Amino acid sequence: DAGVTQSPTHLIKTRGQQVTLRCSPISGHKSVSWYQQVLGQGPQFIFQYYEKEERGRGNFPDRFSARQFPNYSSELNVNALLLGDSALYLCASSRPEGRSNNEQFFGPGTRLTVL
Amino acid sequence: ILNVEQSPQSLHVQEGDSTNFTCSFPSSNFYALHWYRWETAKSPEALFVMTLNGDEKKKGRISATLNTKEGYSYLYIKGSQPEDSATYLCAFPILTGGGNKLTFGTGTQLKVEL
């Protein structure tokens, strides 16, 4: 079975531009989460979506938005890019049984560089 | 603010050495603790999900223990091999309406040398 897939793998943008990152969860997983990882830090939670609804949001500005589609795939959008948005963006999927021991399965990430 | 801390930040060991690292987390409102292994250019891979105080889990040469009362978990690697080189992350989950969101530590970067 395919794992979590993300596209593109790498992306270079300039300040002020907008970017869309895509994620396809593992088949049967209905919950998708997005994380941002900058060098030297652990991944930081951005959003969680379940059944097309936002179920959690991290401490990120409104320039960050996301959505989930009927097939449970998801997009993360970042507007008005800043240099500080340069990071690895990870997507994770899980079965949303609402338990804390729910394992999250991660994709390989999209490396965004903002120049 | 939820603090999940890991130590050491990095570790260099020789092939065959055994090693361990620590994850500390808030002991109140504990639900579970997740351990991940993250090799360069790959996806983070789940190692363990630990839920019970005194829990000990094992996967091959890697094992982990949990102390929820004092808020720490240890990850042990016995007889380290070069393929164990990776960043090891622990994460503390907080329940959301659709599952949980993970608060990660900064990781321990392990390098196993021949």
Side-chain angles (χ1 to χ4, degrees), chain A residues 5-11 20-24 34 109-110:
Chain A
T5 59
Q6 293 187 242
S7 63
T9 53
H10 294 85
L11 205 48
T20 298
L21 311 180
R22 296 177 176 83
C23 171
S24 292
W34 287 95
T110 294

Side-chain angles (χ1 to χ4, degrees), chain A residues 18-34:
Chain A
Q18 175 264 340
V19 69
T20 298
L21 311 180
R22 296 177 176 83
C23 171
S24 292
I26 290 172
S27 178
H29 287 191
K30 299 181 179 181
S31 183
V32 169
S33 300
W34 287 95

Side-chain angles (χ1 to χ4, degrees), chain A residues 31 35 37 40 42-43 45 48 50 55 57 88 90 96 98-104 106-108, chain B residues 31-32 34 36 38 42-44 46 49 51 89 93 95-102 104-106:
Chain A
S31 183
Y35 293 82
Q37 195 254 344
F45 173 77
Q48 185 175 68
Y50 169 56
R55 297 303 182 104
R57 184 184 182 114
L88 181 70
L90 293 164
R99 296 198 305 261
S100 57
N101 57 350
N102 242 7
E103 195 171 317
Q104 293 196 21
F106 283 84
Chain B
Y31 301 108
H34 298 232
Y36 284 86
W38 194 1
K42 293 188 178 179
S43 308
V49 180
T51 56
L89 292 160
L95 292 177
T96 66
N100 63 69
K101 60 178 182 179
L102 298 175
F104 283 89
T106 53

Side-chain angles (χ1 to χ4, degrees), chain A:
Chain A
D1 283 343
V4 177
T5 59
Q6 293 187 242
S7 63
T9 53
H10 294 85
L11 205 48
I12 299 175
K13 293 283 189 179
T14 55
R15 279 179 296 175
Q17 284 189 309
Q18 175 264 340
V19 69
T20 298
L21 311 180
R22 296 177 176 83
C23 171
S24 292
I26 290 172
S27 178
H29 287 191
K30 299 181 179 181
S31 183
V32 169
S33 300
W34 287 95
Y35 293 82
Q36 181 196 63
Q37 195 254 344
V38 298
L39 203 59
Q41 296 183 21
Q44 300 287 314
F45 173 77
I46 310 174
F47 284 111
Q48 185 175 68
Y49 273 77
Y50 169 56
E51 294 286 10
K52 298 177 288 179
E53 289 189 9
E54 181 184 305
R55 297 303 182 104
R57 184 184 182 114
N59 189 24
F60 281 82
D62 292 344
R63 298 183 297 107
F64 287 76
S65 64
R67 56 180 175 167
Q68 188 176 33
F69 298 98
N71 66 354
Y72 304 112
S73 67
S74 177
E75 287 182 351
L76 175 70
N77 297 285
V78 186
N79 292 324
L81 285 166
L82 303 174
L83 295 179
D85 296 330
S86 296
L88 181 70
Y89 289 85
L90 293 164
C91 173
S93 75
S94 63
R95 296 186 190 91
E97 288 135 334
R99 296 198 305 261
S100 57
N101 57 350
N102 242 7
E103 195 171 317
Q104 293 196 21
F105 296 82
F106 283 84
T110 294
R111 173 72 63 187
L112 172 64
T113 302
V114 182
L115 302 175

